Amino acid sequence: MEIDKAIRECDDRRLKTKYNNAIYVIQRALALYSIEEVAFSFNGGKDSTVLLHLLRAGYSLHKGEQSCINGGVKDFPMRTIYFECPSAFPEINSFTYDTANMYGLQLDIIRSDFKSGLEALLKTKPIRAIFLGVRMGDPTAVGQEQFSPSSPGWPPFMRVNPILDWSYRDVWAFLLTSKVQYCSLYDQGYTSIGSIYDTVPNSLLSMNNSSSSKEVFRPAYLLSDGRLERAGRVKKLPPSVSGKKPVVANGLNSMDLPKSSLLMASAIAVGDEILLGTAEDQLGHSLCRKLHSIGWSVSQTTVVRNDIDSVAEEVERRQSTNDMVFIYGGVGPLHSDVTLAGVAKAFGVRLAPDEEFEEYLRHLIGDQCTGDRNEMALLPEGITELLHHEKLIVPLLEVAQPVSKLCLEFPDVYIGCYRKSRREPLRIYLEGKDQDRIESAKEALCKKFHPGAFSEINLS
C-alpha cells in the first residue's frame, strides 16, 4: 500500500512511531468491530484527511492486501459521514466530494446538526464505533482516550481516536511525506479551518508583500510553532464579570484590580528530599519575600511528597482559597517528577503533548525526541501556557532512563534525585532497611554510567 510504503521508507523516526501507533489503534478497532459496524467522520480538514489515509492503510493491512495497486482506491468499504454545513468554505465542500469520488467513499451526507444527525443515522445503521480525527489540544479532546464511549446524553457509540497524540508537525509531516492531496485553503495560509464566519488566514504566515495590494500567505505547513495553529480563528472576548475584565491565564493585570485589593497566594514545594531532611527548601523563602515585596499576602507554604495524589489533593485545597498557587519541584523527566501529573489530576484533565515545548525540545536535542525525552513535553491539557525564560534549560534527560530502570531492579530501595540549585549537580540518594541491598543498588547505578560520572559517592 503506497501510504505504508512512503512512511516506512522515510527518515522521520518520530513520524514512523506515530504512524505505527495509529495503525495499531485502527487494526485493534477493526478486530473488535465488523466493517459494517464502524464509520469514519470526515470533514475535509487536514486532521480528517490524515485519518482517511491512515484508515486506508490500516484497512489494507488488516485485510492483508498489501500488494494492491494504488492502495485499492475503489475498494474502501468503510461508511463515511460528512456533516455538510451552510457556513462551510466552498473549498472544503469541493475537496470532500472530490476525495469521496477519488477513493470510492460511501458518503452519508448529513445536513442537520451533529447530534441529531448522528442519532438519526445510528437508528438506521448498525454503527457501533466512529473513527474521529481528534487531536489533543482540540476543544473536544479533553478527557478522551484512543477508545472513548460517547458522552452522556448522546447516542451510544465508541469514539476511536487514532491520532489523538499527534501534533501539528506530525500532521503535516504525514501529509507531505505520503504526498496525498489536501484542501487548497491550507496553501493559502489557513492553519485551522472552521466556518466562513470564524476563520481567516493565519497572520503569522503573512508574507507582507508591499508590491501587491492583496496580502499573500505562506502554506500552513510552514507555521513554525504548532501551538499557534488556531491563531487564524476569530476569537470573541468573554463577557465581563461584575464590570471587570476576566483574569488572563498565567498573569494578572493590575489595572483591573482595586488599589486596596490584597491578593492571596500559597506555595507548594514538592520533594521527598525536603521531608527526609536531605535538602532544604531554599526557593520558598525567596518566593515569599518576592510576593510580599509586590503587595501579595502568602497564606501558607506546604511541602508534599513526590506522589501524584498528594500533589493533587494539596492543589485542590489551595486553588479554591487563593488568587494564585505557586508549585515547584518535581518537574522533569525523572521517575519522581510527578508534579505536572498531580496538577492535571487536580483540575480533572490529563497530560497532553504541548506543541511549543515539543518544538523547544526538538531544537535542543534534535528530531530523536522520543521516550523519556518526549514525555518532558506532556503538560496539563487545555490549561497550560508556557512563559519563556532564556536561562531555563531542559534538565537531566540522560539520567531519567537508567534511574527509572534502577527503581524497577530495586523496588525495596528508595531512590531519590534532586539538585540544590540550577547550577548544582544532580544528587542521587538511596535509602532502605537492608544495607547490602543499598550497596548493590549503588554498584548497579554506577555501572549504568561512564566512569567518572559521579564526582562523589557517599553512603553514610
Side-chain angles (χ1 to χ4, degrees):
M1 204 276 181
E2 82 283 5
I3 298 296
D4 187 72
K5 184 174 185 292
I7 301 302
R8 297 196 184 282
E9 291 181 352
C10 76
D11 297 326
D12 191 334
R13 290 179 57 190
R14 175 187 169 89
L15 177 59
K16 288 181 179 179
T17 299
K18 297 287 186 178
Y19 171 79
N20 288 334
N21 292 342
I23 292 296
Y24 172 77
V25 172
I26 291 168
Q27 291 182 313
R28 185 179 172 196
L30 293 176
L32 292 171
Y33 306 99
S34 69
I35 195 66
E36 293 79 19
E37 294 175 324
V38 296
F40 161 48
S41 180
F42 185 59
N43 63 12
K46 62 184 185 304
D47 297 341
S48 63
T49 301
V50 166
L51 182 54
L52 165 64
H53 295 290
L54 287 172
L55 289 170
R56 291 177 57 233
Y59 179 73
S60 291
L61 294 170
H62 176 69
K63 300 295 288 185
E65 299 170 355
Q66 298 187 47
S67 61
C68 61
I69 298 179
N70 201 26
V73 295
K74 294 298 182 182
D75 187 25
F76 185 66
M78 189 176 299
R79 185 176 301 279
T80 304
I81 308 168
Y82 178 53
F83 290 86
E84 187 178 271
C85 176
S87 61
F89 282 87
E91 292 88 344
I92 285 287
N93 282 328
S94 297
F95 174 73
T96 299
Y97 291 121
D98 289 346
T99 301
N101 181 62
M102 181 181 298
Y103 297 108
L105 305 182
Q106 299 180 24
L107 212 59
D108 280 306
I109 303 170
I110 298 176
R111 294 183 171 87
S112 60
D113 66 275
F114 192 91
K115 186 177 180 181
S116 59
L118 199 56
E119 287 175 339
L121 181 67
L122 295 185
K123 285 180 180 179
T124 59
K125 308 297 180 183
I127 298 171
R128 296 176 58 200
I130 300 178
F131 289 98
L132 302 169
V134 173
R135 289 191 292 119
M136 288 183 181
D138 293 345
T140 59
V142 176
Q144 287 202 52
E145 303 294 340
Q146 290 175 326
F147 287 83
S148 289
S150 54
S151 302
W154 283 69
F157 67 94
M158 181 64 71
R159 294 175 289 188
V160 186
N161 304 307
I163 63 170
L164 189 63
D165 65 340
W166 285 42
S167 70
Y168 184 84
R169 172 193 179 273
D170 298 329
V171 166
W172 281 110
F174 177 87
L175 292 173
L176 297 176
T177 300
S178 56
K179 296 182 173 61
V180 295
Q181 294 183 14
Y182 52 83
C183 181
S184 60
L185 289 175
Y186 292 111
D187 285 333
Q188 301 170 35
Y190 291 85
T191 53
S192 177
I193 300 174
S195 77
I196 57 176
Y197 302 117
D198 67 2
T199 310
V200 296
N202 195 320
S203 60
L204 296 168
L205 293 172
S206 175
M207 297 178 66
N208 295 322
N209 190 345
S210 58
S211 62
S212 174
S213 58
K214 183 179 179 181
E215 192 170 11
V216 180
F217 295 86
R218 292 175 294 161
Y221 55 79
L222 294 179
L223 183 68
S224 59
D225 186 353
R227 275 175 55 95
L228 301 173
E229 170 185 1
R230 291 179 173 268
R233 293 294 188 98
V234 179
K235 297 181 180 180
K236 295 180 180 180
L237 293 175
S240 59
V241 180
S242 301
K244 298 178 184 176
K245 296 179 183 178
V247 174
V248 178
N250 286 324
L252 290 171
N253 187 342
S254 60
M255 296 298 292
D256 298 334
L257 299 169
K259 295 292 184 180
S260 59
S261 292
L262 188 62
L263 297 173
M264 190 70 68
S266 64
I268 304 171
V270 181
D272 289 347
E273 66 276 6
I274 300 174
L275 295 172
L276 292 170
T278 308
E280 295 181 359
D281 176 16
Q282 299 182 353
L283 183 57
H285 174 73
S286 300
L287 177 60
C288 290
R289 185 171 56 189
K290 179 64 176 178
L291 288 170
H292 179 71
S293 70
I294 61 174
W296 283 61
S297 176
V298 179
S299 63
Q300 187 174 7
T301 62
T302 314
V303 181
V304 299
R305 297 173 49 233
N306 292 93
D307 173 76
I308 293 176
D309 289 335
S310 298
V311 173
E313 290 168 6
E314 193 63 27
V315 170
E316 281 186 285
R317 278 193 292 266
R318 301 299 154 215
Q319 62 93 16
S320 61
T321 57
N322 290 268
D323 297 292
M324 187 170 289
V325 178
F326 294 85
I327 187 167
Y328 53 92
V331 178
L334 298 174
H335 68 285
S336 56
D337 292 328
V338 299
T339 297
L340 293 175
V343 171
K345 184 172 183 178
F347 285 92
V349 299
R350 64 187 166 188
L351 294 177
D354 184 276
E355 293 264 6
E356 183 181 5
F357 201 17
E358 281 191 319
E359 291 299 326
Y360 180 60
L361 287 175
R362 190 170 296 109
H363 172 72
L364 291 178
I365 61 177
D367 286 331
Q368 299 183 26
C369 186
T370 58
D372 295 282
R373 296 179 175 185
N374 191 43
E375 290 173 11
M376 278 285 294
L378 296 177
L379 300 177
E381 182 183 18
I383 62 171
T384 305
E385 178 183 347
L386 292 176
L387 302 180
H388 291 288
H389 192 289
E390 67 277 5
K391 293 184 180 180
L392 291 181
I393 58 174
V394 177
L396 317 173
L397 292 173
E398 69 283 356
V399 180
Q401 189 172 20
V403 173
S404 294
K405 288 182 178 179
L406 190 70
C407 291
L408 297 176
E409 296 168 13
F410 295 88
D412 55 330
V413 177
Y414 179 85
I415 303 170
C417 308
Y418 72 97
R419 289 192 298 185
K420 287 188 174 181
S421 71
R422 189 182 301 131
R423 298 179 181 85
E424 291 280 333
L426 176 69
R427 297 169 183 260
I428 302 176
Y429 60 96
L430 313 175
E431 292 197 2
K433 295 181 178 179
D434 189 332
Q435 190 62 33
D436 290 337
R437 289 287 290 170
I438 294 176
E439 182 67 31
S440 298
K442 182 210 73 172
E443 293 175 0
L445 177 64
C446 291
K447 289 179 181 179
K448 296 181 184 296
F449 295 89
H450 62 81
F454 296 96
S455 59
E456 179 183 351
I457 299 178
N458 188 348
L459 291 179
S460 60

